[in-house]
Amino acid sequence: MAHRVDHEYDYLFKIVLIGDSGVGKSNILSRFTRNEFCLESKSTIGVEFATRTVQVEGKTVKAQIWDTAGQERYRAITSAYYRGAVGALLVYDITKRQTFDNVQRWLRELRDHADSNIVLMMAGNKSDLNHLRSVSEEDGHAVAEKEGLSFLETSALEATNIEKAFQTILNEIYHIVSKKALAAQEAAASASIPGQGTTINVGDESGNTKTACCST
Amino acid sequence: MFGKKAGTEELEAFYPIRPECVAEIPKTRFKPRAGKTLSARRWQAAFSETGCLDIAKVLRRIQRGGIHPSIKGLVWEFLLGCYNPNSTLEDRNQLRQQRRERYSMWKTECRNMVSVIGRGNFITTPIITDDGQPIEVEGCRVTSAVSDKKVAQWMLILHQFGLDVVRTDRALAFYEDKANQAKLWDVLSIYSWVDDDIGYVQGMNDICSPMVILLENEADAFWCFECAMRRLRENFRCSTTSIGVQSQLGTLSQVIKTVDPQLHKHLEDLDGGEYLFAFRMLMVLFRREFSFLDALYLWEVMWAMEYNPNIFWSYEQPDGASDSNYGQLNQKMLKQYGKFQRKNLETGYADKNNALAVFLVASVLETKNKQILKEAKGLDEVVSILGDITGNLDAKKACQEALKLQNKYLKKAKRP
C-alpha cells in the first residue's frame, strides 16, 4: 500500500457515511476512494477511514470519509464519529424498505449529535437491483424534499452517481466555507476601519481557510 | 505430516478458498514445523492412560509453532477452558454429553419462538417491529405480538446477524453451503438468547465462525464459542455512551503513553487519542489483518500465552476459584501457565483489560512508529500504514514482540 506524502490541499473536509447495516456504505466508500467494488465485502467493525482528493472550483479539497458499522449498538461511539464532520451521506437500500423507513432514525441521530450546519445528502443505493426494488424513486424524492436533503439513487456496483453524490456534498460544503471565509474577511476589513462603531464577532471557524471546517 | 511438501498445499485442503477469491485475500504464512508445531502424534502422546492432559507440554509446543490444523478444534477446547486438563476422558465425555443436551434444550426453546431456527435456513430482515408486532417474513412467522422484553429484544437482533452471516468468511468454500451459514446463524441465535446481557454485536460473527468450522458438532462449536466469549464478551458490552472495547483501547493508550510518549502525542494531535483506529483489531482479534489460517494460528499462540490452569474452574465455579499466589507456586505449576500470564503473576499485575491483544496492537504500532511520526498527517494515514501488516505479519513473532513490550511496560509502569 502506498502512502501519499504530499499534503497539498486547500481544504480538508470530514464526511461521515451513515445508514443501516448492509446498505452498501463500505462499497460506496471504496468505489469513491479507490474505484473498487468488492462482492465479498465484510461487515464494518468500529470505524474505517479513507480519503480522496478532488478539485472543487479550482481548489484542492481532501475528503476524509469515515465509515462505520450500521448496527444500532455501535451508535455508542457516535460522539467521536460526528465530531468535526461537515458532511454526511445517509444511505439506504432501495431493495429493503426498512432501511428507508429508518432514515428518520438516522436524521434524529444527526440532529442530536452532528453540527447543525452539516451538509446532508441521502442516497438510495443498489439501483442496479431495480427488479428487487421496494422503495420507489418518488418516495425517496418525497422524503428528501420534506427533510430538505439532496437526493440521488446510486449504485456502487455499477458506479452510478457515486461521484456525483460526493461532488454535490463537497461543492455545497465548499460554498458554505468560502462564503464564511469571505464574510470573515469583510468583517475583518470593516472592523479595522477606524471609527467603525460596531464590533463584529468573527466566529471561530472563519478566517483560516486551511483549517476552516476541518476536523483534524 | 511434516514432510518437505507438507507446506501450503496440504494446508489449503483444510480450509479451501473459493478459486475466484484467492487473489483478494492475504497470503498465509503459517507452516507446520517439525519439532515446533503441535502435531496430532504429539497431542495424543500428551495424554495419560486415564486421559489426563499434560498441559505444560502442549503449551510449550503451541507457543513455539501453533497447532496442526488436523487437531485444532480439540486443542482449542482445552486452551479456551471448556475442559479441565486434569480430568479423565470419561469425565469429559460426560460433560460433553451434558452440554450437548443443554444446547439442544435451548435450541428447542428458541425454535418454539422462531420456527426457522435449526431448519438449515435463516433470516436477514426483521420479523417483528420495534413495538413487537409480527412482520411477515418468508419461511418464518411470529404468530402473535411480543410483549416480553427479553424475547422482543432477541427477536429484533436475529436479522442483524443474518445480514452478517452472509458476509462472514465468504472467501471460504465452507460457507458456499447454505447449511453451514445456517449453522453459524443458529449458534449466534442461541448464544444471544442465553447471554442476553450482551446479545449480539457485529464482530461476534468473526469470532464464532472459526469454531463453527473447526468443530463439526454444532453444540461443541457453541460451547467453544461460549468459552471464547468469556474472555472477550466485555469488549462487546454496549451502553448508550460506550462500547466495552474502549477500556482496552484505554489500556492501549496507557501503554503507548508509557513506552512511547512521542508517538502517543502525535496520535493525539491527529485526533486519534482514543485509538479508535485499533478498534477492529481488538474487537475481532486481528481476523481482518490475517488470512483465515494465520488468524487461527495467532489466536492459539495468544491463548497459549494467556493460559491459566485455573481457567476451567473459574468458569465452572466463578465464586469458588481464585488465582494462585505467585509465592505459592512451584516450578511445575508455573509451567502450566502461558508465558504472558506467568509474567503477570510474577509482577502481580492484574488488570482484566490487560490482554495480550492490547500489547500486540501496541507492538505493531511500535514497529511502525517512525513511519507514523514522519508520514501520518491524518488518521486515515495511520490506518493505511498499519494496513501494511496485512499478510505481512508472522503470528508467533508478533506475539513475542508483544511479550517484550509487556515486559518493557511493566518495568516502566512500576517505576514511580
Side-chain angles (χ1 to χ4, degrees), chain A residues 3 7 41 71 73-74 105, chain B residues 130 170 198 202 377 384:
Chain A
H3 310 291
H7 303 290
S41 69
Q71 189 183 8
R73 305 193 93 187
Y74 269 93
R105 200 180 280 193
Chain B
D130 285 347
R170 274 198 274 204
I198 299 295
Q202 289 190 293
K377 302 280 186 267
S384 119

Side-chain angles (χ1 to χ4, degrees), chain B residues 15 21 61 82 127 131 142 151 163 187 203 248 328 383:
Chain B
Y15 318 105
C21 299
R61 281 271 168 165
C82 301
I127 51 170
D131 48 9
V142 179
V151 177
L163 281 170
V187 170
Q248 282 197 342
Q328 297 165 347
V383 171

Side-chain angles (χ1 to χ4, degrees), chain B residues 12-25:
Chain B
E12 272 161 14
F14 281 95
Y15 318 105
I17 310 283
R18 286 165 51 199
E20 65 271 32
C21 299
V22 171
E24 287 160 30
I25 53 168

Side-chain angles (χ1 to χ4, degrees), chain A:
Chain A
M1 240 177 259
H3 310 291
R4 290 175 56 101
V5 195
D6 60 328
H7 303 290
E8 312 256 313
Y9 53 85
D10 301 303
Y11 295 93
L12 174 69
F13 296 152
K14 173 177 171 181
I15 294 168
V16 292
L17 274 167
I18 52 173
D20 281 8
S21 261
V23 297
K25 296 182 293 294
S26 300
N27 268 321
I28 287 179
L29 178 66
S30 65
R31 175 61 78 193
F32 179 64
T33 56
R34 300 192 303 272
N35 199 18
E36 283 171 13
F37 180 90
C38 178
L39 271 172
E40 267 73 43
S41 69
K42 299 174 174 183
S43 55
T44 305
I45 307 290
V47 184
E48 284 167 31
F49 323 80
T51 58
R52 189 176 140 193
T53 303
V54 294
Q55 295 297 314
V56 178
E57 298 186 12
K59 297 282 183 192
T60 307
V61 169
K62 184 169 170 180
Q64 183 186 73
I65 303 152
W66 291 43
D67 178 23
T68 188
Q71 189 183 8
E72 201 171 334
R73 305 193 93 187
Y74 269 93
R75 307 275 65 79
I77 46 169
T78 37
S79 58
Y81 192 62
Y82 289 117
R83 186 174 54 223
V86 289
L89 185 63
L90 199 179
V91 187
Y92 67 87
D93 174 351
I94 65 153
T95 71
K96 291 221 167 85
R97 185 81 205 179
Q98 217 222 351
T99 65
F100 178 66
D101 297 337
N102 273 343
V103 160
Q104 295 303 329
R105 200 180 280 193
W106 288 105
L107 288 171
R108 212 177 314 134
E109 177 168 303
L110 279 168
R111 273 196 293 272
D112 291 347
H113 297 283
D115 187 281
S116 56
N117 294 316
I118 195 165
V119 170
L120 198 52
M121 163 129 208
M122 183 167 76
N125 194 36
K126 307 196 188 179
S127 64
D128 51 287
L129 298 175
N130 200 26
H131 55 294
L132 299 172
R133 180 188 284 277
S134 75
V135 183
S136 71
E137 194 163 359
E138 291 72 44
D139 285 0
H141 276 297
V143 164
E145 202 165 305
K146 184 167 150 269
E147 303 290 342
L149 320 169
S150 323
F151 171 67
L152 279 173
E153 282 201 348
T154 56
S155 164
L157 178 90
E158 291 177 342
T160 313
N161 280 342
I162 302 293
E163 283 288 321
K164 197 173 167 193
F166 281 104
Q167 275 294 347
T168 310
I169 296 176
L170 293 170
N171 276 333
E172 209 175 311
I173 298 170
Y174 175 75
H175 282 142
I176 293 174
V177 172
S178 52
K179 227 185 274 169
K180 268 189 190 161
L182 191 67
Q185 269 169 20
E186 281 169 5
S190 56
S192 67
I193 297 169
Q196 191 91 16
T198 38
T199 313
I200 294 162
N201 187 8
V202 183
D204 55 345
E205 358 170 40
S206 53
N208 185 347
T209 52
K210 190 94 183 183
T211 52
C213 248
C214 294
S215 64
T216 53

Side-chain angles (χ1 to χ4, degrees), chain B residues 120-411:
Chain B
N121 206 344
F122 58 95
I123 50 156
T124 55
T125 54
I127 51 170
I128 58 165
T129 61
D130 285 347
D131 48 9
Q133 297 305 314
I135 302 173
E136 276 269 355
V137 173
E138 207 189 308
C140 180
R141 189 188 300 153
V142 179
T143 42
S144 56
V146 181
S147 55
D148 184 275
K149 206 177 149 208
K150 182 186 168 186
V151 177
Q153 237 174 21
W154 175 68
M155 285 186 177
L156 278 169
I157 51 171
L158 292 175
H159 73 282
Q160 173 67 60
F161 50 83
L163 281 170
D164 292 341
V165 161
V166 297
R167 293 185 283 175
T168 307
D169 293 322
R170 274 198 274 204
L172 298 177
F174 181 85
Y175 285 115
E176 281 182 300
D177 184 349
K178 180 101 188 246
N180 287 334
Q181 292 186 6
K183 182 180 170 190
L184 174 60
W185 189 78
D186 280 347
V187 170
L188 290 169
S189 306
I190 313 305
Y191 184 85
S192 57
W193 172 246
V194 177
D195 187 4
D196 59 325
D197 213 15
I198 299 295
Y200 173 79
V201 178
Q202 289 190 293
M204 281 165 59
N205 55 322
D206 285 274
I207 304 293
C208 189
S209 167
M211 292 25 173
V212 165
I213 295 173
L214 295 184
L215 293 138
E216 199 183 346
N217 180 285
E218 186 183 310
D220 295 350
F222 170 86
W223 286 104
C224 193
F225 173 58
E226 198 263 351
C227 279
M229 282 301 288
R230 297 251 191 170
R231 56 174 80 210
L232 298 171
R233 66 195 282 279
E234 287 313 310
N235 280 349
F236 291 96
R237 186 184 293 283
C238 294
S239 74
T240 48
T241 51
S242 69
I243 299 180
V245 70
Q246 286 173 291
S247 352
Q248 282 197 342
L249 291 172
T251 309
L252 173 64
S253 148
Q254 196 56 47
V255 171
I256 296 294
K257 204 171 168 180
T258 308
V259 301
D260 190 349
Q262 196 191 4
L263 181 63
H264 179 77
K265 170 79 173 41
H266 185 66
L267 290 169
E268 259 186 339
D269 291 344
L270 301 180
D271 196 24
E274 288 162 277
Y275 288 74
L276 282 180
F277 56 83
F279 192 104
R280 190 181 70 192
M281 293 179 184
L282 291 174
M283 202 78 161
V284 298
L285 295 178
F286 293 88
R287 281 256 7 229
R288 304 286 178 88
E289 282 73 24
F290 286 90
S291 74
F292 183 74
L293 186 54
D294 278 348
L296 307 192
Y297 175 37
L298 176 76
W299 288 10
E300 62 212 20
V301 174
M302 278 171 62
W303 292 336
M305 288 179 171
E306 287 179 328
Y307 191 81
N308 166 351
N310 302 315
I311 184 172
F312 173 80
W313 288 114
S314 71
Y315 292 166
E316 289 291 299
Q317 302 170 337
D319 306 322
S322 65
D323 264 332
S324 316
N325 238 327
Y326 182 66
Q328 297 165 347
L329 292 168
N330 59 34
Q331 275 304 312
K332 188 173 168 241
M333 282 153 89
L334 267 179
K335 282 184 180 154
Q336 298 176 13
Y337 285 84
K339 287 179 184 171
F340 178 77
Q341 203 53 34
R342 219 178 300 157
K343 184 58 81 180
N344 283 335
L345 274 176
E346 274 170 32
T347 50
Y349 185 84
D351 173 356
K352 61 179 169 39
N353 295 318
N354 167 30
L356 179 55
V358 171
F359 290 97
L360 204 57
V361 179
S363 76
V364 167
L365 273 167
E366 277 305 284
T367 57
K368 299 283 177 191
N369 126 318
K370 281 201 186 101
Q371 203 183 351
I372 293 173
L373 285 174
K374 205 171 131 208
E375 294 173 18
K377 302 280 186 267
L379 285 183
D380 50 301
E381 284 156 333
V382 175
V383 171
S384 119
I385 291 169
L386 290 180
D388 284 352
I389 67 165
T390 302
N392 288 324
L393 206 60
D394 178 85
K396 190 182 86 177
K397 279 189 198 136
C399 285
Q400 283 169 338
E401 288 304 311
L403 288 181
K404 278 187 205 156
L405 199 73
Q406 177 207 22
N407 231 333
K408 191 172 168 189
Y409 172 67
L410 290 177
K411 274 186 193 146

